Amino acid sequence: MVRRIFWMAVGAGAAVWAMGKANEAVHRLTPDSLSGTAARGALHAGDAAKRFALDVKAGMAERERQLRADLGLDGSAVVEPPRRLLRGAAADGSGRAISAAPGSPAAALPPSRTPRTPQAIVAKSRQRELPGRTTDRKDPH
């Protein structure tokens, strides 16, 4: 008799557990529940995308600050007017148009004494080369 009561209680408990799982599954598969789950997933994805975009923006701003500091564009490079406009300036040509950023390797270089100008490339007129004749050699005549 105790065995029968025990197995009846186990069966009733299993039935209650199975009915609870079935009701939960039915509730999960209703259109309202599915739309709510999709909306929560979309909100979660949107929040993750927003956090990613903010991280990328912060990284870009930090890298831009580093590049500006390395290139002297953050105010550490001093732009001086041309020497010919300054009154009473040394005429020895020792001034630079742009001073190097403090602490950079270029700051340790001595100022240039000769102004650098681009050299013009002189183009030779091209002659039509005939077979057996080159324009690079001098004529022996």
Side-chain angles (χ1 to χ4, degrees):
M1 176 90 134
V2 174
R3 278 184 170 175
R4 287 183 182 173
I5 294 175
F6 172 74
W7 286 113
M8 189 193 246
V10 168
V16 169
W17 177 80
M19 289 298 290
K21 288 292 184 182
N23 283 335
E24 184 181 320
V26 167
H27 177 68
R28 235 182 323 154
L29 297 176
T30 60
D32 289 338
S33 178
L34 289 175
S35 65
T37 303
R40 282 189 299 276
L43 288 174
H44 179 68
D47 288 342
K50 186 175 181 178
R51 283 192 307 269
F52 175 73
L54 291 174
D55 288 346
V56 168
K57 269 187 183 177
M60 286 173 39
E62 176 62 28
R63 182 64 181 145
E64 185 175 358
R65 279 192 296 276
Q66 288 173 353
L67 289 173
R68 286 185 177 277
D70 290 347
L71 296 174
L73 299 176
D74 60 348
S76 61
V78 179
V79 178
E80 299 174 356
R83 292 291 176 170
R84 68 181 185 282
L85 297 179
L86 294 176
R87 297 177 191 260
D92 60 356
S94 63
R96 290 184 179 157
I98 297 177
S99 299
S104 71
L109 294 175
S112 174
R113 295 287 177 193
T114 59
R116 292 184 181 176
T117 58
Q119 297 176 352
I121 299 174
V122 179
K124 291 181 5 180
S125 62
R126 294 188 172 251
Q127 297 175 356
R128 184 173 177 208
E129 293 186 15
L130 298 174
R133 179 176 172 207
T134 63
T135 58
D136 292 340
R137 290 188 264 173
K138 293 182 181 178
D139 276 338
H141 301 316

